[in-house]
Every structure is written in C-alpha cells, then in structure tokens.
Amino acid sequence: MTYGPPTTAAPPGWYDDPEAPDLLRWWDGRAWSDEHFATKPVGDAQNAAARRARSIFVWAWPLAVLFWVVPLLLTLIPDSAAQTVGVVMSWIGGLPVLVLTVLSIVFGAIGLANARRLGGIGRRAALTGLVGGVCILVAPAVLGGIGIVFAFLLAAFR
C-alpha cells in the first residue's frame, strides 16, 4: 500500500493513514474520516529482538543444565570415570551453550532498548533473555566455586 490519500476515483475503504503509517484510516470516497484502525500487532510482537532473546534463553537454560551443571556435579563424584564423563560433556556442550547465552544477552539488550522506544512493549521478554543469559553465564563459576569449597571440606574431614 502507498501512503497518502487515494485519488478521488478510489472507492471508499480502509487505507494507510497519511499521518500515521502504522494505522488505517477510512476514506469515504471524498475525504478522510476521523476513524482509525491499528494495523500493527499489539504486545511483544512489535519487539522482535525481545522475543528472540526470550526464545534463545528458553533453549539455552536446559542445555546449560545438561552441559554445565551436570558435568560439574559429575566432577564432584570421587570416581575417575564419572569425572572424565563430566569433563568431556562440558567440553562438547560448552560452546553451543556459550553461543546461545551470548546471543540471549545481546538480543535482550537490543530488545530492552527497543522497549524503551516502544513505550515498554517487550520489556519483560527482553529482561528474561538478558538476566537469564547473565545467570547462565555466571552459573559455572558459582557452581565451580561451590564445588571447590565442597572438595576442600571433604578433604579436611577425611
């Protein structure tokens, strides 16, 4: 559709509003009416980056549990075979989780900036991706620190 008033030969109908491209406006065949109709979707649909951030986070957290948390827990078991499986799992799954996590953070930051511009639309989805991605990113360090403390405590009480 083109913007601006239709020609006088245009039949009555809904056309793109020449003053607001995101709205439709009724053309009665001679003049524009005061009636408007929103054509843009409402809600998070306008903030694609926020939706992507949330979607990527939804994919990243189960992979993070499988490839970061489970391997860290396996390394705490005093069995060399289980520890080896834990290390191999973390090396195999670490890169995809890291990529998804960074993408979640980046799209979350972009979605948050877009939400400010769009009056808050998509803010919750953007924050989900941003904060969730940061949590996934720091989880191995926190769990690793807990594991080291746990290992020292076990060694101290033997």
Side-chain angles (χ1 to χ4, degrees), residues 1-6 15-23 32 39-40:
M1 287 186 182
T2 59
Y3 299 109
Y15 295 93
D16 287 328
D17 188 332
E19 298 170 2
D22 58 334
L23 298 176
W32 292 109
T39 60
K40 284 202 172 180

Side-chain angles (χ1 to χ4, degrees), residues 10-146:
W14 291 101
Y15 295 93
D16 287 328
D17 188 332
E19 298 170 2
D22 58 334
L23 298 176
L24 292 178
R25 195 169 188 182
W26 181 259
W27 174 257
D28 67 7
R30 288 175 276 130
W32 292 109
S33 73
D34 290 333
E35 294 183 64
H36 291 85
F37 181 81
T39 60
K40 284 202 172 180
V42 181
D44 288 351
Q46 288 178 316
N47 196 339
R51 281 193 340 266
R52 283 189 189 107
R54 181 177 51 206
S55 297
I56 292 170
F57 169 70
V58 167
W59 280 98
W61 79 263
L63 290 176
V65 169
L66 179 64
F67 290 114
W68 282 355
V69 176
V70 170
L72 281 171
L73 294 175
L74 286 174
T75 59
L76 296 176
I77 297 173
D79 177 33
S80 62
Q83 292 173 348
T84 303
V85 169
V87 170
V88 170
M89 279 180 67
S90 65
W91 277 100
I92 290 172
L95 184 60
V97 173
L98 184 63
V99 168
L100 287 173
T101 302
V102 169
L103 285 173
S104 177
I105 293 169
V106 168
F107 279 116
I110 294 169
L112 200 55
N114 289 346
R116 281 191 208 107
R117 191 174 39 81
L118 294 169
I121 294 174
R123 184 174 187 272
R124 183 176 292 165
L127 283 173
T128 299
L130 182 65
V131 173
V134 169
C135 288
I136 290 173
L137 203 57
V138 301
V142 171
L143 290 173
I146 292 170

